[in-house]
Each structure stands twice: as C-alpha cells, then as structure tokens.
Amino acid sequence: MTSTIPASLTRTAEGSALQAVLLDMDGTLVDTEGFWWDAEVRVFAELGHELDEAWRDVVVGGPMTRSAGYLIEVTGADITLPEVTVLLNDAFEKRISQGVPLMPGAERLLAELAAQRVPTALVSASHRRIIDRVLGSLGPENFALSVAGDEVPRTKPHPDPYLLAARGLGAEPTRCAVIEDTATGVASAEAAGCRVVAVPSVAPIAPADGRVVVGSLEEVDLGFLRTLITSMN
C-alpha cells in the first residue's frame, strides 16, 4: 500500500455517513480493460497460441495469477506463471506508455471528491509498477493512498484489498462506497462489507442488495454516493 498524501493532510467527509470512497482502476477510472486483452493476445501469440475471444469474459478483472493461469491452462502454453506475468506486465506497460484514456465522468468525479475532501483510495488488482504509471494520468493528488494487487496476500475477489484500503483511511468498510466494473471486483468489495456501485465495462453485472448498477460514471456524484450509504444503514 502506498500513500500519496501526508497523514497531516488526510481529508474528511464530515457531516456524512459516507466515510471514504474506494475506486477500482482498470475499466472503472481508465479505459484499459481492452489494453490488458491486447497484451494477453500479443504475448500468447508470440508463444504460438491464439486466444479465443470467449475467454475475455473469464479473465477480465484479474487478478494476474488467475487470468494468466487460466490462459496457460486453456492454451497449453509452455511457460510458467511467473514468466508470463513479467511478459504481460511488460506488454501492458508498453501499451500505456503514452498515457491512458479516462472513462467518461472519471475526471469530474475525482475532482469533486478532492474538492469536498472525501478520503479516496485507488484499489487495483494490477501490480504496483502499473498503478504508479497510470497514476500519472489519473493524478496522484486525487488519492490519499493506493493498494496494488501484488501488495496483499490475497487480492480480488478476496476482501483483503478493500479492507486494507478502508483501514488505511481510518474508515469502517460498511461506510465506504466502492466503484467497480467487474464481478471479481464487486465480489471483493462486498466480501469486505462495502457498498458497491457497479459500472460494468465488459461483462454484465446484476443488481443486488447493497449494490447499485449504473451505465457510466457520469451517473455518479458525491450526492449519489452519500445516498448509497445512508439508504443501506
């Protein structure tokens, strides 16, 4: 876990049941889920294997160990998981080296959260080297801390990343609003006890108790997130 704001500048969400907002990265704030698939297709092509488009829904949302492990299994590629992980991270980092496109509504939402001093964390299954690169496009000043997939014993869909982020912000998980784009991320946040706004990027996500599904971040603002918490408590 990396903090990008000194503890003395930790923001507050006074006057609201909402204590913090925790955001996924790939497919939620930045339009990179397709970049990951491109990287996977390229790496496995170089290994002599063509990926089936149907596998995309299986691997979306990570974590790398699950996604890469699945692709090794279904293709029969002669490579180890650690070896292919390095190749995939290299290919993805090269793909985003010129910057990444933000999802519609992401810049406006992050600016609003910052202006209102709402404690905010970036929680991703991507590795630290990738998060630090993408933060250049998102603005590291918009996050009090970030949690990477290679910094927790168990990453998404386990609750560990969101529990760590909530603890780092001094917030109760049940009073944290999480924004996610995949079923894997939603499962992680809900297992941690957080309230979830799902913004599906590749595969559909069904509404459920404690979860709201929207079409894009353009439908989400601070008032919406505060209502999500108060209506569930």
Side-chain angles (χ1 to χ4, degrees):
M1 180 174 69
T2 296
S3 175
T4 57
I5 296 179
S8 61
L9 297 181
T10 298
R11 296 164 287 182
T12 63
E14 294 178 1
S16 169
L18 174 69
Q19 291 184 338
V21 177
L22 316 177
L23 302 112
D24 174 54
M25 187 177 76
D26 295 299
T28 299
L29 291 175
V30 290
D31 192 7
T32 50
E33 290 293 7
F35 288 13
W36 276 114
W37 180 246
D38 291 346
E40 289 158 348
V41 168
R42 174 175 296 184
V43 166
F44 277 87
E46 292 173 351
L47 296 171
H49 300 276
E50 181 179 353
L51 299 189
D52 189 318
E53 184 71 23
W55 299 338
R56 184 174 180 176
D57 287 353
V58 179
V59 301
V60 66
M64 177 78 74
T65 51
R66 189 202 71 192
S67 299
Y70 173 81
L71 293 176
I72 289 173
E73 180 180 356
V74 294
T75 61
D78 185 18
I79 191 170
T80 67
L81 183 57
E83 289 170 339
V84 81
T85 295
V86 171
L87 294 178
L88 289 171
N89 275 322
D90 286 347
F92 184 78
E93 192 167 6
K94 183 177 180 180
R95 183 74 171 82
I96 65 174
S97 61
Q98 301 303 314
V100 294
L102 271 60
M103 298 296 285
E107 184 175 11
R108 187 262 317 149
L109 177 59
L110 291 175
E112 182 183 13
L113 296 174
Q116 296 299 317
R117 300 177 63 82
V118 177
T120 304
L122 186 65
V123 184
S124 177
S126 292
H127 289 189
R128 171 55 55 188
R129 60 182 283 199
I130 301 300
I131 288 182
D132 287 345
R133 173 79 71 158
V134 175
L135 275 171
S137 296
L138 287 173
E141 69 279 2
N142 288 317
F143 305 94
L145 59 87
S146 56
V147 176
D150 56 342
E151 295 174 340
V152 288
R154 303 183 305 171
T155 189
K156 303 174 185 180
H158 298 287
D160 306 41
Y162 282 109
L163 291 174
L164 180 61
R167 185 164 63 249
L169 294 175
E172 300 174 23
T174 56
R175 294 177 65 184
C176 292
V178 169
I179 304 179
E180 272 280 0
D181 73 304
T182 67
T184 299
V186 167
S188 173
E190 291 181 343
C194 303
R195 307 306 184 190
V196 177
V197 178
V199 192
S201 64
V202 177
I205 298 173
D209 289 342
R211 178 197 314 165
V212 176
V213 180
V214 298
S216 94
L217 289 180
E218 293 181 316
E219 301 176 42
V220 181
D221 59 15
L222 181 54
F224 179 95
L225 297 174
R226 283 175 170 163
T227 300
L228 178 71
I229 299 299
T230 56
S231 66
M232 300 297 180
N233 288 289

